[in-house]
Amino acid sequence: MTYRPLPNEVTIKPSLIEGLGLFATIDLKKGHEFGITHVENKEFEDGYIRTPLGAFFNHSESPNCECYVDGKYLKLRTLKEIKAEEEITVKYWLY
């Protein structure tokens, strides 16, 4: 088995919001779970270390995804259906 820093259903591309962004590669249903975006670690300034999945999504005041706390992890899931090629956005609250 080979380590994959991102799940197959997302990729990184230039964003119209800012720099690079995270984009869906397939249509996704509401409630789709992507995985872990941050791991709790008090040695870091904000108390978390980002994973590759957490490093590229951009902020939106009307996001299509959310980061939520699950124990010592922050995880990413969709808030609504997302079409292939649509940018993954989250309302920032950690930083």
Side-chain angles (χ1 to χ4, degrees):
M1 178 182 248
T2 303
Y3 170 72
R4 294 188 47 83
L6 294 175
N8 289 334
E9 60 267 28
V10 293
T11 192
I12 299 165
K13 299 188 327 185
S15 168
L16 295 177
I17 298 171
E18 176 67 33
L20 297 173
L22 200 61
F23 290 80
T25 58
I26 60 172
D27 292 348
L28 300 166
K29 294 182 181 196
K30 178 181 178 179
H32 178 82
E33 298 275 342
F34 292 97
I36 297 169
T37 63
H38 296 73
V39 178
E40 186 178 286
N41 186 321
K42 298 302 180 192
E43 293 182 32
F44 287 83
E45 181 179 345
D46 296 306
Y48 288 90
I49 185 170
R50 277 188 305 209
T51 68
L53 181 60
F56 290 98
F57 54 73
N58 280 311
H59 171 78
S60 173
E61 287 296 321
S62 53
N64 55 21
C65 291
E66 69 176 344
C67 273
Y68 67 96
V69 178
D70 185 10
K72 294 185 179 227
Y73 305 105
L74 297 183
K75 294 183 176 179
L76 180 66
R77 70 177 160 214
T78 59
L79 291 171
K80 51 187 150 187
E81 289 185 5
I82 297 174
K83 297 290 183 193
E85 303 300 319
E86 188 176 342
E87 184 165 3
I88 304 300
T89 58
V90 174
K91 186 170 186 175
Y92 287 173
W93 56 268
L94 181 60
Y95 303 112

